Amino acid sequence: MASFEPVIGLEVHVQLKTKSKVFCGCPTDFGAEPNSQICPVCCGYPGVLPVLNRSAVEGLVRTALALDCRVNSRSVFARKQYFYPDLPKNYQISQYELPLAEHGHLDISTEAGPRRVRIHRIHLEEDAGKLLHAIGSRALDYSLVDLNRTGIPLMEIVSEPDMHTAEEAAAYMEGLRAVLRYLGVSDCDMEKGFMRCDANVSLRPAGTTGLGTKAEVKNMNSFRGVRDALAYEIERQTDLLEAGQKIVQETRLWDAQKGSTHSMRSKEEAHDYRYFPEPDLVPIELSESFLDELRRSLPELPSVRRTRLEKERGLSGYDAGVITAEKPLADYFEQALAAFEEPLRREAAKPLANWLTTELLGRLHAAQKGIEESPISSRRLAALVRLVLKGTVSGKTAKTVFDDMFAGGGDPETIVEQKGLTQIEDEVLIGRWADEAIAGQPKSAQDVKAGKAAALGALVGAVLKKSGGRANPQTVQRLLKQKLGAS
Ligand code: ADP
Ligand code: ZN
Ligand code: MG
């Protein structure tokens, strides 16, 4: 039986985070009272004229630059015509022939290694309204229209069909989200519909390069949904082809509850929309200085930062990935690291990454807080790591200090001082405890003397206990071994 290779291309719609809509001054706040953020322009009253929002163009162009796209110095809007109750004008202002940006790429990391996904184009358009279908246990037969979303700026990012597994598609979505959040152009919250994805899937015989007939899958509202819908669709198409049947070109809807896709409509063609240039808006013309200014405004992007943290700071790929996934987290880490001077900084990077990714993130996650709301500042986490590196407190004691810091937000130095948690180095004191431990456990002492190294653990434990967990474990071990003549 021939085997098939899946081919996936994604069309991602992202709401740009602007104060006002793309062609009128209405606010864009999420969750407002239905139809409270509308005006004659976004409702498409006859005779009104759209005025382009500059910051929507800036958000899109910054995205395009971050994705290494060619930004067209001249682009035009087009009317895409269709009839649906969420679109009061009966046409959507979009871009067709001359989009704002083309030919970029996003590098993603997958389990199988790095992959490059080419971006075909990015264009600017307006969002449509929202329909609320009154379906419940009773037979209800009406829908409500909320036009608050109508006219919110959307950018559509169209990839080339460069992905081949559901995991790659999910990694692409996550990579894109990270870039957009770094840029601050969108929150990319899929549950709220700020980021939406139409996934195009086809199969081809393995080893060939042509494109098979595709189905377009819509209605995924989470990253998980994208992955599951694609996995389902790949399996569905494989079964059909293996049974000698054909794939129908169509739009299918993902049903997260059922875990399957079903046919919604046969796929419309571009000519169905009767695109034509928007007569009410002049072409967008971008100057070199405008582009330069935006280019200069770009932050270091997540993939670059990740590689830098691996190389410069010796972090594992995994830790660097976790830390750079969100800009505020990476900022926190680097601020904490900046509190150390060389050469201690080199030594501090890994423990700091550990404290951050395991202890602090775990605690914040449980408290449903973001890093910005952390009760432990980057400076204080750095101070705690410094106490451990300098041997002032043991790693174990540091955990209890950390708990106090998380609960009360104090300085680690003050907590250690007030609670008397400083690590004990005093060899006379430790030696006395060691003698007591040996006297209390003659059997263990005998075993150690007889060369059973494992028996030492019980004695070390006893000394640590006597010290209230504060004796330096290395010193304890060394003194016990000395006293028992073990090496
Ligand atoms: P359409 O005109 O049907 O919308 P486009 O050529 O505009 O198709 O492509 C839309 C998206 O579908 C792009 O992301 C593209 O990479 C992807 N795509 C196109 N053809 C295929 C195919 N045969 N298999 C998988 N994805 C495809
Ligand atoms: Zn409006
Ligand atoms: Mg298309």
Side-chain angles (χ1 to χ4, degrees):
M1 207 173 280
S3 66
F4 297 100
E5 179 190 41
V7 174
I8 302 167
L10 301 183
E11 297 165 282
V12 178
H13 285 93
V14 179
Q15 275 194 7
L16 288 161
K17 199 161 81 178
T18 53
K19 285 205 185 74
S20 56
K21 294 187 181 180
V22 62
F23 299 122
C24 65
C26 290
T28 55
D29 308 333
F30 183 79
E33 184 72 11
N35 298 310
S36 64
Q37 303 185 342
I38 57 175
C39 75
V41 174
C42 50
C43 290
Y45 284 21
V48 298
L49 288 171
V51 177
L52 180 59
N53 180 344
R54 181 191 173 100
S55 63
V57 177
E58 286 173 355
L60 189 148
V61 171
R62 291 178 74 234
T63 304
L65 292 172
L67 296 173
D68 269 331
C69 288
R70 184 187 83 202
V71 178
N72 292 323
S73 55
R74 183 171 185 278
S75 72
V76 296
F77 286 106
R79 287 189 182 181
K80 178 181 183 179
Q81 311 187 74
Y82 64 96
F83 177 80
Y84 206 62
D86 62 7
L87 186 76
K89 292 203 295 283
N90 291 340
Y91 63 85
Q92 177 194 30
I93 302 180
S94 180
Q95 295 193 289
Y96 185 56
E97 271 168 0
L98 262 178
L100 264 164
E102 296 171 273
H103 311 308
H105 58 83
L106 175 68
D107 291 328
I108 56 173
S109 55
T110 69
E111 270 172 26
R115 294 273 182 278
R116 171 160 288 192
V117 178
R118 290 167 303 154
I119 309 281
H120 176 60
R121 59 185 267 154
I122 309 181
H123 68 247
L124 183 60
E125 59 188 29
E126 56 181 342
D127 208 346
K130 237 187 235 173
L131 296 179
L132 279 114
H133 303 293
I135 24 177
S137 50
R138 291 183 300 135
L140 299 172
D141 60 354
Y142 62 91
S143 291
L144 298 167
V145 187
D146 177 6
L147 295 179
N148 282 351
R149 203 175 69 180
T150 311
I152 289 186
L154 268 192
M155 62 180 165
E156 179 171 343
I157 304 171
V158 183
S159 84
E160 295 292 349
D162 285 353
M163 290 155 276
H164 303 286
T165 63
E167 285 68 36
E168 271 176 27
Y172 168 81
M173 290 290 286
E174 276 158 19
L176 201 54
R177 176 177 183 269
V179 169
L180 299 177
R181 286 174 61 92
Y182 261 62
L183 294 172
V185 296
S186 177
D187 293 332
C188 293
D189 192 331
M190 282 193 84
E191 280 77 9
K192 288 184 177 158
F194 296 165
M195 186 184 204
R196 313 193 278 273
C197 165
D198 301 340
N200 298 271
V201 200
S202 64
L203 296 185
R204 65 184 170 202
T208 64
T209 55
L211 289 175
T213 305
K214 71 177 158 77
E216 181 189 36
V217 188
K218 288 178 179 286
N219 201 38
M220 293 81 80
N221 59 5
S222 67
F223 287 91
R224 174 85 198 278
V226 174
R227 188 175 314 144
D228 291 351
L230 280 169
Y232 175 87
E233 190 56 24
I234 289 167
E235 202 175 305
R236 185 189 71 89
Q237 292 189 14
T238 307
D239 289 349
L240 281 174
L241 291 182
E242 282 180 349
Q245 288 175 282
K246 282 202 160 72
I247 306 299
V248 186
Q249 168 139 347
E250 62 183 351
T251 300
R252 300 179 67 85
L253 283 189
W254 168 245
D255 184 331
Q257 233 109 61
K258 290 198 185 125
S260 61
T261 63
H262 58 267
S263 180
M264 178 172 89
R265 57 169 187 243
S266 67
K267 171 77 179 152
E268 64 288 341
E269 304 278 343
H271 61 247
D272 294 335
Y273 292 119
R274 308 290 306 204
Y275 281 100
F276 71 84
E278 166 61 61
D280 289 343
L281 287 161
V282 295
I284 308 176
E285 300 206 338
L286 304 176
S287 68
E288 264 316 305
S289 64
F290 176 80
L291 292 180
D292 280 344
E293 191 187 311
L294 295 183
R295 213 170 266 127
R296 277 195 301 272
S297 80
L298 297 184
E300 183 182 32
L301 293 168
S303 58
V304 178
R305 199 165 189 183
R306 175 184 177 152
T307 314
R308 179 169 63 75
L309 288 186
E310 280 178 57
K311 287 210 176 112
E312 255 177 33
R313 303 296 172 205
L315 295 192
S316 68
Y318 178 79
D319 279 349
V322 172
I323 289 172
T324 56
E326 296 283 351
K327 186 168 182 294
L329 194 57
D331 288 345
Y332 183 103
F333 176 76
E334 297 217 76
Q335 271 156 24
L337 208 52
F340 292 91
E341 62 292 342
E342 292 291 5
L344 200 57
R345 188 178 296 162
R346 201 178 307 266
E347 220 182 307
K350 274 187 202 175
L352 199 52
N354 278 340
W355 279 97
L356 179 56
T357 58
T358 56
E359 300 298 326
L360 187 56
L361 284 189
R363 228 48 89 76
L364 289 171
H365 188 75
Q368 297 193 328
K369 284 184 174 169
I371 189 74
E372 295 97 330
E373 302 155 287
S374 169
I376 302 181
S377 67
S378 57
R379 195 186 54 75
R380 281 180 172 164
L381 189 65
L384 179 64
V385 171
R386 183 185 293 272
L387 291 179
V388 179
L389 288 178
K390 294 228 154 141
T392 313
V393 297
S394 66
K396 200 161 169 238
T397 306
K399 292 233 160 94
T400 61
V401 177
F402 178 89
D403 285 342
D404 279 7
M405 288 165 72
F406 196 85
D411 255 319
E413 294 92 342
T414 317
I415 294 169
V416 167
E417 174 103 19
Q418 281 174 354
K419 298 207 160 173
L421 294 173
T422 332
Q423 182 155 273
I424 296 168
E425 301 282 2
D426 182 342
E427 299 202 2
V428 177
L429 191 57
I430 295 177
R432 199 148 65 223
W433 285 325
D435 289 337
E436 286 171 24
I438 290 167
Q441 298 188 47
K443 174 83 177 63
S444 299
Q446 215 45 57
D447 286 349
V448 176
K449 276 188 191 156
K452 287 190 199 159
L456 191 67
L459 295 171
V460 173
V463 176
L464 288 179
K465 199 166 169 206
K466 286 174 196 294
S467 74
R470 290 170 52 208
N472 181 339
Q474 263 112 46
T475 314
V476 174
Q477 273 209 16
R478 183 168 49 78
L479 292 184
L480 277 169
K481 280 183 182 166
Q482 248 171 36
K483 287 179 191 291
L484 296 171
S487 55

